[in-house]
Amino acid sequence: MSTHRASSRRFRLARLPNSIFAFLLVFMVASLWVPRFFTPGNLSSLLLQSSIMIILSVAMALVIIAGGIDLSMGSVLSMCGVIMALCMRNGLHALVAIGIGLAIGALFGLLNGLIVTRLRVPPFIATFGSMGIAQSLANTLSGRRTIYWESGSHSSLVDLLKGDVVHIQLGPESSMVFYIPFLVVLTAVVVGGVIFLFRRTVLGAYVHAIGENEEVARLSGIATRSWTTLLYVISGALAGFAGLLMLIRTNSMQPTSGDWLEFVAVVAAVLGGNALEGGKGSLVGAIFGALTLYMVRNALALKGIDTSVTMVVIGAVLVIGMFLNALATRHEKKLSARAETENA
Amino acid sequence: MGKLLEFRNISKTFPGVKALDDVSLDLNPGEVHVVVGENGAGKSTMMKIISGVYAPDRGELLLDDIPLGRNTPKIAEQHGIAMIYQELSIVPELSVMENIFLGHEIRRGILIDRKAMDKRAEELLASIGVKVSPGTLVKNLSIANQQMIEIAKALSKNARVIVFDEPTSSLTDAEIKELFRIITALRGKGVGMFYISHRLEEIFEIGDRITIMRDGRKIATAPIAEMDMGKVVEGIAGRRIENVFQRHFPAKGEILLELKDLCGERFQHVNLNVRAGEIIGLAGLVGSGRSEVVRAAFGIDPYSAGEVLVRGKKMPRNNPQRLAHEGVAFLPEDRKREGLALSLSIRENAVISALRRLNPLTIVDGRRERATVRDFVRKLGISSPTIEKLVHFLSGGTQQKVVLAKWLITEASIFIFDEPTRGIDVGSKSSIYSLMDELVGLGAGIVMISSELPEVLGMSDRIYVMAQGRIAGEIDREEADHVSVIQLAFSQTSASQGRSLQ
Ligand SMILES: Nc1ncnc2c1ncn2[C@@H]1O[C@H](COP(=O)(O)OP(=O)(O)OP(=O)(O)O)[C@@H](O)[C@H]1O
Ligand SMILES: [Mg+2]
């Protein structure tokens, strides 16, 4: 029995998402090939740059595994950011502003969830619709202009969050500064929290079951509509949170800052092995997907290569990552086939 | 003694079908109540009313003589009702343990208690004799093991009422024995069970009472001791069936399909052939490699050595299109995943492989298509108001018939059938057997994998028996009987374990 258990716990190469293979590949190539890539400073800024996308792709993966999609993410990000910035411009305390922003993000998620589960509108259409609503709200509220606020005691929290937790000067140049901004820590905490919920509560199993076959989930006594709605609420709140990160990083808020980010998040999630038909995938995969995308961008920029090449390289990375994963899967299948014949 | 559960005058209508018409039925504690009837008779619909999937249009459901009122899967579960659905209801991407406890996880606060679930899952699996670890992903299991996971899932709920909707359709003898042992134990504990099956031999072994249904109505309920096979068959089919296995033996022709020394991951050195006019039975235990051999032969899975010859021509590997082009038709074991498009209609599914034949000028000839499909619908006894009904809404056995129709319509000359009559009622089984007989009469050759011995013995000209990935022996029709086949099926298993079969 004990050997039995051990084998089920064994580390499974093929269970790792594609994006980890892609990530390692890109990381190695970039480190060897791009001179200023593997420096403390660059790696730190890479983390900072990708943190917003990490949040969005985790949220996207959650919805995608459940067989849905959330296209409103980018505009909800902009809208929530604009609302938070406006609150602070009007002297509201940052904590209150953040609370309002996150609540409105969650409310939009609730709206998405109800439209999808109660009115039975396909998620693609439903969230496309609310994308329009959120975007025009962002535009109207901001008057299509960047919003600044006067820094004061009420906004000191934002100023604090803009700083670094760790800051080590390893050498004279800026590339030798290793730093970890508050933003990255915040991102890690939130993402860690979502992953914890996903793994240690029923959330993970339910999301997979709903995405794989909603009927089966329903027959197992799962309140599929409530759970699906909850996912969109989480996704909306996380988009709002990403808006907060954007606002802190730029110390201002543009109504267009979330443009197209939902599509990048879809690419990151898919790169992370989250099949768009639902039922399979992983949150960790999405994180590495996001990291890989930003790493490719970063490396090409450092190398001075035109950004239009970025998507081509990302496509190639996606294919190679999948190929490596397929190899690992085949290898594992062989092992399990052998194990089953030995058992028989 | 009070009734555990009772249906009172239940009716249920779906668009165009009266699935249940004023049915009353009850269940005592500690009883196995067998329900039989032709495909589409309404058996599954009735059971789904117990488990809260459908609400009846009229009538009521009583539990311990108290009307149940509103019912949903969750409410049913809280009342101690568990159901094993006819269509597998598991999630392939989740582990065995997660599947067993899906919807009723063991929790500590809001967190799931993986350790406790792991332990409980292991106990459950051990108690039903399944040798897989709780952490295995379900998609990596054989269909038989997936079915056993469903059973473990139902058992994990400690239910008072358990419904088995065709639990044995993808199990073999060893697993069925195990299941019956569990059912007997549950009966001793006072659990009431409904048991639906088309395998009529087994219902006499396990049942206490039997109910026969036809066309949404109850024909009869009686203690099983007062019934015999003839009566049951007549009740289901509505007619007497003297000889289920009708065979004429035409003259044999050329060798149509031949496997020479085929080796793969799960089978070694397989040699077999089929001549025109022949039905070949491929028998053996589940896991003996039967399905794997035919999948490789048809080009779906790879093989490492050996040859596949069609009419003496060597076939390329991994090329099912080529085999289909040479007139080989393959009916896979897993009809839901590999045989049907659930969101298409009966007609669309039936013609999908024969589109080129039916429409030689590549322009769809709707009249001809419909006529052909109607012809097979009639021959196979597919029960549906129209051929445009979506396959998703058909009863389990009726779906199986659509898969069969799909391959029969292709007018292939070599048929590979993996469990062709799984889940099909006796009446239709005998029609399918005569269709098969008709096909070989016209010069076709058939390879039939089957776990039902009577079917193998009744239909085959020759029987190959597989054991542990090898052909353990070949028996002619005249010499074949239960004993000889079973002995071969177990032969190498026992030899390799250093024991001899007693
Ligand atoms: N959801 C549905 N929508 C429409 N028709 C349905 C639905 N479910 C079942 N039916 C129809 O109701 C009838 C009874 O189906 P049911 O599944 O109860 O048959 P069954 O007795 O279980 O048959 P089998 O032996 O093939 O499993 C069939 O004609 C079927 O097509
Ligand atoms: Mg049924």
Side-chain angles (χ1 to χ4, degrees), chain A residues 3 25 33 54 114-115 125 182-183 196 204-205 273 298 319:
Chain A
T3 56
L25 183 80
W33 180 63
I54 286 176
L114 292 180
I115 293 175
I125 308 292
F182 257 116
L183 281 187
F196 179 82
N298 172 281
V319 172

Side-chain angles (χ1 to χ4, degrees), chain A residues 1 4-5 7-9 12 15 196-202 204-206 208-209 212-213 215-222 227 279-281 332-334 336-338 340-341 343-344, chain B residues 53 73-74 77 85 88-94 98 102-105 107 110-112 114-115 118-119 122 126 131-137 140-142 145 153 157 265-266 468 497:
Chain A
M1 245 320 121
H4 216 71
R5 290 189 72 124
S7 72
S8 77
R9 290 283 156 71
R12 293 276 169 81
R15 283 204 199 168
F196 179 82
L197 288 179
F198 195 75
R199 294 228 173 123
R200 302 294 304 279
T201 72
V202 295
Y206 286 11
H208 272 107
E212 167 69 33
N213 190 333
E215 180 74 5
V216 167
R218 208 167 63 83
L219 295 186
S220 304
I222 298 172
W227 282 97
K280 44 181 102 147
E332 189 188 27
K333 264 213 182 121
K334 249 182 218 163
S336 77
R338 212 173 294 154
E340 210 170 289
T341 31
N343 265 348
Chain B
V53 176
K74 194 81 209 168
E77 192 185 307
Y85 292 96
L88 287 178
S89 55
I90 44 176
V91 185
E93 290 290 326
L94 294 180
E98 284 168 317
L102 188 66
H104 59 281
E105 293 77 6
R107 304 190 204 180
I110 68 156
L111 301 188
I112 47 178
R114 260 175 213 282
K115 256 210 199 111
D118 234 13
K119 189 155 159 281
E122 230 162 59
K131 292 193 195 77
V132 298
S133 73
T136 318
L137 293 190
N140 294 331
L141 297 181
S142 63
N145 271 335
K153 179 173 172 177
K157 297 176 183 170
E265 254 168 51
R266 306 251 184 133
Q468 296 212 325
Q497 290 174 351

